[in-house]
Amino acid sequence: MEKLREKGGGNPLKCVQCGSCTSACIVNSLEEGFNPRRIVGSIARFNRLPSQNPWLCSTCSLCTERCPQGVDPFSIIMALRTVLYENGGEAPEGILEMVEQVKKTGLAFPVGSESCERRRLLGLPEARLSEESLSEVRRILSEAGFK
């Protein structure tokens, strides 16, 4: 639990297991095996890693918005991902590819020529980060353990 707190995992001990997080979870509605309440409960009540796969989380943060106790299941799940990865756990291949894309451009997905053309026609600036912002993104990723 201490490692989760170090990684920004908030305070799972405030959880009263009401299930508001799970009822709001869009992944749980499609995948019964992913349950934010059980993830937080495993940590808070039993001080053990949950059996649910934290990489299934869509990062919508509805769980946190709905939590009446202010537990922040979203941050707990993100911290859990970090702790598992740092301890030799495997991140899904798509996640690592996305991290590489973010390191390269600052954007999670490449901007295609069609999007570039639409932005130009609408008079919008090119979808890219400044060198200063990109440098900051790279620094943050490095601190998070993505070299």
Side-chain angles (χ1 to χ4, degrees), residues 28-68:
N28 177 263
S29 66
L30 300 170
E31 176 63 51
E32 250 182 68
F34 183 78
N35 186 314
R37 180 185 62 80
R38 287 191 185 134
I39 290 172
V40 174
S42 289
I43 295 163
R45 295 173 64 206
F46 306 112
N47 198 25
R48 68 172 186 233
L49 294 176
S51 59
Q52 286 84 15
N53 181 353
W55 294 100
L56 291 175
C57 176
S58 72
T59 69
C60 71
S61 77
L62 286 173
C63 54
T64 294
E65 290 176 19
R66 301 278 171 81
C67 179

Side-chain angles (χ1 to χ4, degrees), residues 27-134:
V27 175
N28 177 263
S29 66
L30 300 170
E31 176 63 51
E32 250 182 68
F34 183 78
N35 186 314
R37 180 185 62 80
R38 287 191 185 134
I39 290 172
V40 174
S42 289
I43 295 163
R45 295 173 64 206
F46 306 112
N47 198 25
R48 68 172 186 233
L49 294 176
S51 59
Q52 286 84 15
N53 181 353
W55 294 100
L56 291 175
C57 176
S58 72
T59 69
C60 71
S61 77
L62 286 173
C63 54
T64 294
E65 290 176 19
R66 301 278 171 81
C67 179
Q69 298 299 110
V71 172
D72 196 0
F74 169 74
S75 292
I76 292 168
I77 291 167
M78 294 301 102
L80 180 59
R81 285 179 178 182
T82 303
V83 168
L84 290 172
Y85 183 74
E86 286 178 346
N87 289 307
E90 291 291 319
E93 188 176 314
I95 298 292
L96 297 178
E97 289 171 9
M98 188 182 302
V99 169
E100 287 304 312
Q101 176 69 23
V102 171
K103 282 196 298 193
K104 183 176 169 187
T105 67
L107 305 171
F109 302 99
V111 179
S113 58
E114 189 176 309
S115 293
C116 290
E117 180 61 17
R118 263 192 255 138
R119 292 183 68 81
R120 188 188 67 72
L121 291 172
L122 292 169
L124 297 171
E126 205 176 309
R128 57 183 231 144
L129 271 62
S130 69
E131 281 304 314
E132 182 181 336
S133 296
L134 187 54

